Amino acid sequence: MILPPPPRSAHELVVFLVDAAVTHQPWLAAGVDRVVTGARRSLAAPNHHFAWVLFDSTIRAVHPEEVAVSGTAIVTTARRLLPVNPAPTALDGGLAAAYDLARSFLDRRDDGLPRAVDLLAVVGPGGDCGGEEHAAIASDPRIQLAVVTYGGPGPTPAGLDVTALPDPPDDPDLGSAWIAARCRTAGRRRPCLVLG
C-alpha cells in the first residue's frame, strides 16, 4: 500500500521589528530566541524564515531573511550601530523596511503553497505606534502585524494588535507575548490560506 506524502506546510516569514529604546533590556534577546526556537521545533520548521529590522525614528539596520536569527546578534548589532541617545521612536521608521521584506518574500515563492508573514514589533516608552504603512499591511491578509509595548507607548492606531508588557517588569516574557500574537494572527489569516 502506497501512502500519500504528508501535507506540506506554508512558507512563513517572521520579521522582528526592534525599537532601539529596548535594546538594552535583558529580556529582548530571550524573547527573540524563544520565538525562533518554538518555530524551529514545529512541523512547519523547514519553511520558516526570519528577518529583523532595528529602528528608532528611522531604519538603523535591516537583516534579510535567514533560516534562523538570534537575539544576541540583534543586541550586539544594536550596541554597535546606535547612537548613545537614540532619537524618539516611531514604528513607521521600521514598518516600511519590514513591509518591503514581506512583499519580497511573498513574491519570490510561487510553488503553490500558502505564504504568510508575521511582523512582530516591540516598541519602548513613548514610542509612536502609528505609521503610513499600516494601510498597506492591512490590505494584504497574508501579512499580519502585532505590537508588544513596554513602558507605555505613545500614539497607537485603533484596531492595532497591541500587547503591553508589565512595567516595571520583574521578568517580562516578550517571547510568550509574541507567540500568543502569532496564534492570533494565524486565526485572522486562516480564511485567506484556506481559500487561496
Side-chain angles (χ1 to χ4, degrees), residues 15-17 50-55 58-66 77 81 93-102:
V15 182
F16 298 101
L17 290 102
F50 303 88
W52 55 269
V53 177
L54 180 66
F55 68 96
T58 188
I59 299 165
R60 294 292 180 175
V62 177
H63 191 86
E65 69 184 72
E66 291 187 353
T77 301
L81 294 178
L95 273 181
Y99 183 66
D100 287 346
L101 288 170

PDB file of all heavy atoms in Angstrom, residues 15-17 50-55 58-66 77 81 93-102:
ATOM      1  N   VAL A  15       9.283  38.585  10.820  1.00  0.00           N
ATOM      2  CA  VAL A  15      10.163  39.755  10.844  1.00  0.00           C
ATOM      3  C   VAL A  15      10.049  40.412  12.224  1.00  0.00           C
ATOM      4  O   VAL A  15       8.963  40.812  12.639  1.00  0.00           O
ATOM      5  CB  VAL A  15       9.772  40.785   9.760  1.00  0.00           C
ATOM      6  CG1 VAL A  15      10.747  41.972   9.791  1.00  0.00           C
ATOM      7  CG2 VAL A  15       9.772  40.141   8.378  1.00  0.00           C
ATOM      8  N   PHE A  16      11.155  40.493  12.925  1.00  0.00           N
ATOM      9  CA  PHE A  16      11.194  41.170  14.214  1.00  0.00           C
ATOM     10  C   PHE A  16      11.496  42.652  13.982  1.00  0.00           C
ATOM     11  O   PHE A  16      12.503  42.985  13.346  1.00  0.00           O
ATOM     12  CB  PHE A  16      12.272  40.570  15.117  1.00  0.00           C
ATOM     13  CG  PHE A  16      12.052  39.121  15.458  1.00  0.00           C
ATOM     14  CD1 PHE A  16      12.747  38.119  14.796  1.00  0.00           C
ATOM     15  CD2 PHE A  16      11.139  38.757  16.444  1.00  0.00           C
ATOM     16  CE1 PHE A  16      12.546  36.780  15.110  1.00  0.00           C
ATOM     17  CE2 PHE A  16      10.929  37.428  16.761  1.00  0.00           C
ATOM     18  CZ  PHE A  16      11.633  36.436  16.092  1.00  0.00           C
ATOM     19  N   LEU A  17      10.633  43.519  14.477  1.00  0.00           N
ATOM     20  CA  LEU A  17      10.874  44.964  14.422  1.00  0.00           C
ATOM     21  C   LEU A  17      11.260  45.408  15.826  1.00  0.00           C
ATOM     22  O   LEU A  17      10.431  45.373  16.748  1.00  0.00           O
ATOM     23  CB  LEU A  17       9.627  45.713  13.957  1.00  0.00           C
ATOM     24  CG  LEU A  17       9.256  45.514  12.491  1.00  0.00           C
ATOM     25  CD1 LEU A  17       8.112  44.517  12.389  1.00  0.00           C
ATOM     26  CD2 LEU A  17       8.847  46.828  11.887  1.00  0.00           C
ATOM     27  N   PHE A  50      13.325  33.925   8.952  1.00  0.00           N
ATOM     28  CA  PHE A  50      13.320  35.034   9.904  1.00  0.00           C
ATOM     29  C   PHE A  50      14.129  36.202   9.348  1.00  0.00           C
ATOM     30  O   PHE A  50      15.078  36.016   8.588  1.00  0.00           O
ATOM     31  CB  PHE A  50      13.921  34.603  11.247  1.00  0.00           C
ATOM     32  CG  PHE A  50      13.215  33.420  11.859  1.00  0.00           C
ATOM     33  CD1 PHE A  50      13.601  32.126  11.552  1.00  0.00           C
ATOM     34  CD2 PHE A  50      12.142  33.604  12.715  1.00  0.00           C
ATOM     35  CE1 PHE A  50      12.947  31.033  12.091  1.00  0.00           C
ATOM     36  CE2 PHE A  50      11.473  32.530  13.261  1.00  0.00           C
ATOM     37  CZ  PHE A  50      11.880  31.243  12.943  1.00  0.00           C
ATOM     38  N   ALA A  51      13.748  37.392   9.752  1.00  0.00           N
ATOM     39  CA  ALA A  51      14.486  38.608   9.408  1.00  0.00           C
ATOM     40  C   ALA A  51      14.260  39.595  10.546  1.00  0.00           C
ATOM     41  O   ALA A  51      13.410  39.370  11.420  1.00  0.00           O
ATOM     42  CB  ALA A  51      13.988  39.193   8.089  1.00  0.00           C
ATOM     43  N   TRP A  52      15.025  40.675  10.562  1.00  0.00           N
ATOM     44  CA  TRP A  52      14.785  41.681  11.592  1.00  0.00           C
ATOM     45  C   TRP A  52      15.152  43.072  11.114  1.00  0.00           C
ATOM     46  O   TRP A  52      15.951  43.253  10.205  1.00  0.00           O
ATOM     47  CB  TRP A  52      15.488  41.346  12.900  1.00  0.00           C
ATOM     48  CG  TRP A  52      16.969  41.104  12.852  1.00  0.00           C
ATOM     49  CD1 TRP A  52      17.601  39.909  12.670  1.00  0.00           C
ATOM     50  CD2 TRP A  52      18.019  42.073  13.036  1.00  0.00           C
ATOM     51  NE1 TRP A  52      18.972  40.078  12.711  1.00  0.00           N
ATOM     52  CE2 TRP A  52      19.255  41.392  12.945  1.00  0.00           C
ATOM     53  CE3 TRP A  52      18.026  43.454  13.268  1.00  0.00           C
ATOM     54  CZ2 TRP A  52      20.472  42.040  13.071  1.00  0.00           C
ATOM     55  CZ3 TRP A  52      19.252  44.099  13.399  1.00  0.00           C
ATOM     56  CH2 TRP A  52      20.454  43.395  13.302  1.00  0.00           C
ATOM     57  N   VAL A  53      14.482  44.043  11.751  1.00  0.00           N
ATOM     58  CA  VAL A  53      14.689  45.458  11.457  1.00  0.00           C
ATOM     59  C   VAL A  53      14.903  46.181  12.774  1.00  0.00           C
ATOM     60  O   VAL A  53      14.127  46.014  13.717  1.00  0.00           O
ATOM     61  CB  VAL A  53      13.466  46.067  10.730  1.00  0.00           C
ATOM     62  CG1 VAL A  53      13.668  47.559  10.489  1.00  0.00           C
ATOM     63  CG2 VAL A  53      13.189  45.336   9.422  1.00  0.00           C
ATOM     64  N   LEU A  54      15.957  46.957  12.840  1.00  0.00           N
ATOM     65  CA  LEU A  54      16.252  47.784  14.015  1.00  0.00           C
ATOM     66  C   LEU A  54      15.935  49.232  13.651  1.00  0.00           C
ATOM     67  O   LEU A  54      16.366  49.725  12.612  1.00  0.00           O
ATOM     68  CB  LEU A  54      17.728  47.640  14.389  1.00  0.00           C
ATOM     69  CG  LEU A  54      18.245  48.423  15.593  1.00  0.00           C
ATOM     70  CD1 LEU A  54      17.605  47.926  16.876  1.00  0.00           C
ATOM     71  CD2 LEU A  54      19.771  48.300  15.685  1.00  0.00           C
ATOM     72  N   PHE A  55      15.161  49.917  14.505  1.00  0.00           N
ATOM     73  CA  PHE A  55      14.717  51.265  14.164  1.00  0.00           C
ATOM     74  C   PHE A  55      14.602  52.142  15.406  1.00  0.00           C
ATOM     75  O   PHE A  55      14.518  51.657  16.529  1.00  0.00           O
ATOM     76  CB  PHE A  55      13.339  51.205  13.469  1.00  0.00           C
ATOM     77  CG  PHE A  55      12.224  50.758  14.378  1.00  0.00           C
ATOM     78  CD1 PHE A  55      11.421  51.685  15.020  1.00  0.00           C
ATOM     79  CD2 PHE A  55      11.986  49.411  14.598  1.00  0.00           C
ATOM     80  CE1 PHE A  55      10.405  51.273  15.878  1.00  0.00           C
ATOM     81  CE2 PHE A  55      10.973  48.989  15.447  1.00  0.00           C
ATOM     82  CZ  PHE A  55      10.180  49.924  16.089  1.00  0.00           C
ATOM     83  N   THR A  58      14.094  56.198  12.441  1.00  0.00           N
ATOM     84  CA  THR A  58      14.438  55.787  11.081  1.00  0.00           C
ATOM     85  C   THR A  58      14.970  54.362  11.128  1.00  0.00           C
ATOM     86  O   THR A  58      15.140  53.789  12.216  1.00  0.00           O
ATOM     87  CB  THR A  58      15.496  56.740  10.479  1.00  0.00           C
ATOM     88  OG1 THR A  58      15.680  56.440   9.108  1.00  0.00           O
ATOM     89  CG2 THR A  58      16.833  56.632  11.219  1.00  0.00           C
ATOM     90  N   ILE A  59      15.250  53.794  10.000  1.00  0.00           N
ATOM     91  CA  ILE A  59      15.790  52.433   9.946  1.00  0.00           C
ATOM     92  C   ILE A  59      17.270  52.486  10.301  1.00  0.00           C
ATOM     93  O   ILE A  59      18.039  53.224   9.684  1.00  0.00           O
ATOM     94  CB  ILE A  59      15.606  51.833   8.547  1.00  0.00           C
ATOM     95  CG1 ILE A  59      14.117  51.754   8.198  1.00  0.00           C
ATOM     96  CG2 ILE A  59      16.254  50.456   8.463  1.00  0.00           C
ATOM     97  CD1 ILE A  59      13.858  51.519   6.727  1.00  0.00           C
ATOM     98  N   ARG A  60      17.669  51.686  11.280  1.00  0.00           N
ATOM     99  CA  ARG A  60      19.077  51.624  11.675  1.00  0.00           C
ATOM    100  C   ARG A  60      19.780  50.399  11.115  1.00  0.00           C
ATOM    101  O   ARG A  60      20.983  50.428  10.861  1.00  0.00           O
ATOM    102  CB  ARG A  60      19.184  51.630  13.202  1.00  0.00           C
ATOM    103  CG  ARG A  60      18.732  52.909  13.851  1.00  0.00           C
ATOM    104  CD  ARG A  60      19.667  54.039  13.524  1.00  0.00           C
ATOM    105  NE  ARG A  60      19.263  55.300  14.142  1.00  0.00           N
ATOM    106  CZ  ARG A  60      19.973  56.411  14.076  1.00  0.00           C
ATOM    107  NH1 ARG A  60      21.107  56.435  13.401  1.00  0.00           N
ATOM    108  NH2 ARG A  60      19.537  57.510  14.644  1.00  0.00           N
ATOM    109  N   ALA A  61      19.057  49.312  10.931  1.00  0.00           N
ATOM    110  CA  ALA A  61      19.650  48.093  10.359  1.00  0.00           C
ATOM    111  C   ALA A  61      18.534  47.202   9.848  1.00  0.00           C
ATOM    112  O   ALA A  61      17.451  47.159  10.429  1.00  0.00           O
ATOM    113  CB  ALA A  61      20.474  47.343  11.404  1.00  0.00           C
ATOM    114  N   VAL A  62      18.813  46.511   8.746  1.00  0.00           N
ATOM    115  CA  VAL A  62      17.884  45.533   8.184  1.00  0.00           C
ATOM    116  C   VAL A  62      18.676  44.254   7.941  1.00  0.00           C
ATOM    117  O   VAL A  62      19.705  44.273   7.261  1.00  0.00           O
ATOM    118  CB  VAL A  62      17.263  46.019   6.858  1.00  0.00           C
ATOM    119  CG1 VAL A  62      16.371  44.931   6.269  1.00  0.00           C
ATOM    120  CG2 VAL A  62      16.485  47.302   7.065  1.00  0.00           C
ATOM    121  N   HIS A  63      18.184  43.167   8.498  1.00  0.00           N
ATOM    122  CA  HIS A  63      18.839  41.876   8.312  1.00  0.00           C
ATOM    123  C   HIS A  63      17.897  40.998   7.491  1.00  0.00           C
ATOM    124  O   HIS A  63      16.818  40.645   7.960  1.00  0.00           O
ATOM    125  CB  HIS A  63      19.128  41.230   9.668  1.00  0.00           C
ATOM    126  CG  HIS A  63      20.030  40.047   9.587  1.00  0.00           C
ATOM    127  ND1 HIS A  63      21.394  40.143   9.608  1.00  0.00           N
ATOM    128  CD2 HIS A  63      19.757  38.733   9.453  1.00  0.00           C
ATOM    129  CE1 HIS A  63      21.931  38.945   9.513  1.00  0.00           C
ATOM    130  NE2 HIS A  63      20.948  38.075   9.412  1.00  0.00           N
ATOM    131  N   PRO A  64      18.258  40.671   6.257  1.00  0.00           N
ATOM    132  CA  PRO A  64      17.345  39.917   5.385  1.00  0.00           C
ATOM    133  C   PRO A  64      17.115  38.505   5.891  1.00  0.00           C
ATOM    134  O   PRO A  64      17.793  38.040   6.818  1.00  0.00           O
ATOM    135  CB  PRO A  64      18.066  39.934   4.038  1.00  0.00           C
ATOM    136  CG  PRO A  64      19.503  40.130   4.375  1.00  0.00           C
ATOM    137  CD  PRO A  64      19.540  40.965   5.621  1.00  0.00           C
ATOM    138  N   GLU A  65      16.186  37.830   5.241  1.00  0.00           N
ATOM    139  CA  GLU A  65      15.722  36.542   5.757  1.00  0.00           C
ATOM    140  C   GLU A  65      16.802  35.480   5.807  1.00  0.00           C
ATOM    141  O   GLU A  65      17.681  35.390   4.949  1.00  0.00           O
ATOM    142  CB  GLU A  65      14.548  36.035   4.926  1.00  0.00           C
ATOM    143  CG  GLU A  65      14.935  35.630   3.513  1.00  0.00           C
ATOM    144  CD  GLU A  65      13.728  35.240   2.696  1.00  0.00           C
ATOM    145  OE1 GLU A  65      12.961  36.142   2.328  1.00  0.00           O
ATOM    146  OE2 GLU A  65      13.571  34.045   2.416  1.00  0.00           O
ATOM    147  N   GLU A  66      16.729  34.682   6.873  1.00  0.00           N
ATOM    148  CA  GLU A  66      17.578  33.521   7.070  1.00  0.00           C
ATOM    149  C   GLU A  66      16.723  32.427   7.680  1.00  0.00           C
ATOM    150  O   GLU A  66      15.574  32.664   8.066  1.00  0.00           O
ATOM    151  CB  GLU A  66      18.757  33.851   8.007  1.00  0.00           C
ATOM    152  CG  GLU A  66      19.779  34.795   7.408  1.00  0.00           C
ATOM    153  CD  GLU A  66      20.998  34.953   8.312  1.00  0.00           C
ATOM    154  OE1 GLU A  66      20.958  34.422   9.437  1.00  0.00           O
ATOM    155  OE2 GLU A  66      21.963  35.597   7.880  1.00  0.00           O
ATOM    156  N   THR A  77      24.444  43.926  17.383  1.00  0.00           N
ATOM    157  CA  THR A  77      24.398  44.878  16.274  1.00  0.00           C
ATOM    158  C   THR A  77      23.890  46.230  16.743  1.00  0.00           C
ATOM    159  O   THR A  77      24.416  47.280  16.364  1.00  0.00           O
ATOM    160  CB  THR A  77      23.499  44.345  15.147  1.00  0.00           C
ATOM    161  OG1 THR A  77      24.015  43.090  14.698  1.00  0.00           O
ATOM    162  CG2 THR A  77      23.440  45.316  13.986  1.00  0.00           C
ATOM    163  N   LEU A  81      25.719  49.927  16.387  1.00  0.00           N
ATOM    164  CA  LEU A  81      25.226  50.897  15.415  1.00  0.00           C
ATOM    165  C   LEU A  81      24.528  52.112  16.008  1.00  0.00           C
ATOM    166  O   LEU A  81      24.529  53.180  15.390  1.00  0.00           O
ATOM    167  CB  LEU A  81      24.231  50.213  14.458  1.00  0.00           C
ATOM    168  CG  LEU A  81      24.793  49.136  13.537  1.00  0.00           C
ATOM    169  CD1 LEU A  81      23.671  48.547  12.695  1.00  0.00           C
ATOM    170  CD2 LEU A  81      25.879  49.708  12.633  1.00  0.00           C
ATOM    171  N   GLY A  93       9.184  54.129  11.269  1.00  0.00           N
ATOM    172  CA  GLY A  93      10.577  54.091  10.840  1.00  0.00           C
ATOM    173  C   GLY A  93      11.035  52.702  10.444  1.00  0.00           C
ATOM    174  O   GLY A  93      11.930  52.541   9.621  1.00  0.00           O
ATOM    175  N   GLY A  94      10.420  51.668  11.038  1.00  0.00           N
ATOM    176  CA  GLY A  94      10.792  50.304  10.694  1.00  0.00           C
ATOM    177  C   GLY A  94       9.792  49.578   9.822  1.00  0.00           C
ATOM    178  O   GLY A  94      10.135  48.612   9.142  1.00  0.00           O
ATOM    179  N   LEU A  95       8.533  50.058   9.826  1.00  0.00           N
ATOM    180  CA  LEU A  95       7.490  49.348   9.081  1.00  0.00           C
ATOM    181  C   LEU A  95       7.737  49.307   7.583  1.00  0.00           C
ATOM    182  O   LEU A  95       7.449  48.306   6.923  1.00  0.00           O
ATOM    183  CB  LEU A  95       6.123  49.984   9.349  1.00  0.00           C
ATOM    184  CG  LEU A  95       5.355  49.492  10.571  1.00  0.00           C
ATOM    185  CD1 LEU A  95       4.016  50.215  10.658  1.00  0.00           C
ATOM    186  CD2 LEU A  95       5.153  47.992  10.531  1.00  0.00           C
ATOM    187  N   ALA A  96       8.260  50.400   7.033  1.00  0.00           N
ATOM    188  CA  ALA A  96       8.489  50.425   5.588  1.00  0.00           C
ATOM    189  C   ALA A  96       9.463  49.325   5.174  1.00  0.00           C
ATOM    190  O   ALA A  96       9.228  48.609   4.196  1.00  0.00           O
ATOM    191  CB  ALA A  96       9.004  51.798   5.159  1.00  0.00           C
ATOM    192  N   ALA A  97      10.545  49.178   5.933  1.00  0.00           N
ATOM    193  CA  ALA A  97      11.521  48.135   5.616  1.00  0.00           C
ATOM    194  C   ALA A  97      10.925  46.746   5.814  1.00  0.00           C
ATOM    195  O   ALA A  97      11.153  45.833   5.023  1.00  0.00           O
ATOM    196  CB  ALA A  97      12.766  48.299   6.479  1.00  0.00           C
ATOM    197  N   ALA A  98      10.138  46.576   6.883  1.00  0.00           N
ATOM    198  CA  ALA A  98       9.521  45.278   7.156  1.00  0.00           C
ATOM    199  C   ALA A  98       8.532  44.910   6.058  1.00  0.00           C
ATOM    200  O   ALA A  98       8.453  43.751   5.631  1.00  0.00           O
ATOM    201  CB  ALA A  98       8.827  45.309   8.514  1.00  0.00           C
ATOM    202  N   TYR A  99       7.774  45.898   5.591  1.00  0.00           N
ATOM    203  CA  TYR A  99       6.808  45.640   4.518  1.00  0.00           C
ATOM    204  C   TYR A  99       7.532  45.247   3.228  1.00  0.00           C
ATOM    205  O   TYR A  99       7.093  44.340   2.515  1.00  0.00           O
ATOM    206  CB  TYR A  99       5.934  46.868   4.289  1.00  0.00           C
ATOM    207  CG  TYR A  99       4.867  46.669   3.244  1.00  0.00           C
ATOM    208  CD1 TYR A  99       3.822  45.768   3.454  1.00  0.00           C
ATOM    209  CD2 TYR A  99       4.899  47.353   2.037  1.00  0.00           C
ATOM    210  CE1 TYR A  99       2.840  45.568   2.492  1.00  0.00           C
ATOM    211  CE2 TYR A  99       3.916  47.158   1.070  1.00  0.00           C
ATOM    212  CZ  TYR A  99       2.891  46.268   1.307  1.00  0.00           C
ATOM    213  OH  TYR A  99       1.925  46.062   0.353  1.00  0.00           O
ATOM    214  N   ASP A 100       8.649  45.896   2.937  1.00  0.00           N
ATOM    215  CA  ASP A 100       9.439  45.526   1.753  1.00  0.00           C
ATOM    216  C   ASP A 100       9.944  44.085   1.850  1.00  0.00           C
ATOM    217  O   ASP A 100       9.920  43.335   0.864  1.00  0.00           O
ATOM    218  CB  ASP A 100      10.622  46.478   1.584  1.00  0.00           C
ATOM    219  CG  ASP A 100      10.212  47.854   1.085  1.00  0.00           C
ATOM    220  OD1 ASP A 100       9.060  48.003   0.623  1.00  0.00           O
ATOM    221  OD2 ASP A 100      11.031  48.789   1.187  1.00  0.00           O
ATOM    222  N   LEU A 101      10.408  43.693   3.051  1.00  0.00           N
ATOM    223  CA  LEU A 101      10.851  42.314   3.252  1.00  0.00           C
ATOM    224  C   LEU A 101       9.694  41.345   3.033  1.00  0.00           C
ATOM    225  O   LEU A 101       9.851  40.291   2.417  1.00  0.00           O
ATOM    226  CB  LEU A 101      11.417  42.142   4.666  1.00  0.00           C
ATOM    227  CG  LEU A 101      12.770  42.790   4.963  1.00  0.00           C
ATOM    228  CD1 LEU A 101      13.059  42.730   6.455  1.00  0.00           C
ATOM    229  CD2 LEU A 101      13.884  42.088   4.187  1.00  0.00           C
ATOM    230  N   ALA A 102       8.519  41.711   3.559  1.00  0.00           N
ATOM    231  CA  ALA A 102       7.344  40.848   3.429  1.00  0.00           C
ATOM    232  C   ALA A 102       6.949  40.672   1.968  1.00  0.00           C
ATOM    233  O   ALA A 102       6.706  39.554   1.494  1.00  0.00           O
ATOM    234  CB  ALA A 102       6.180  41.434   4.228  1.00  0.00           C
TER     235      ALA A 102
END
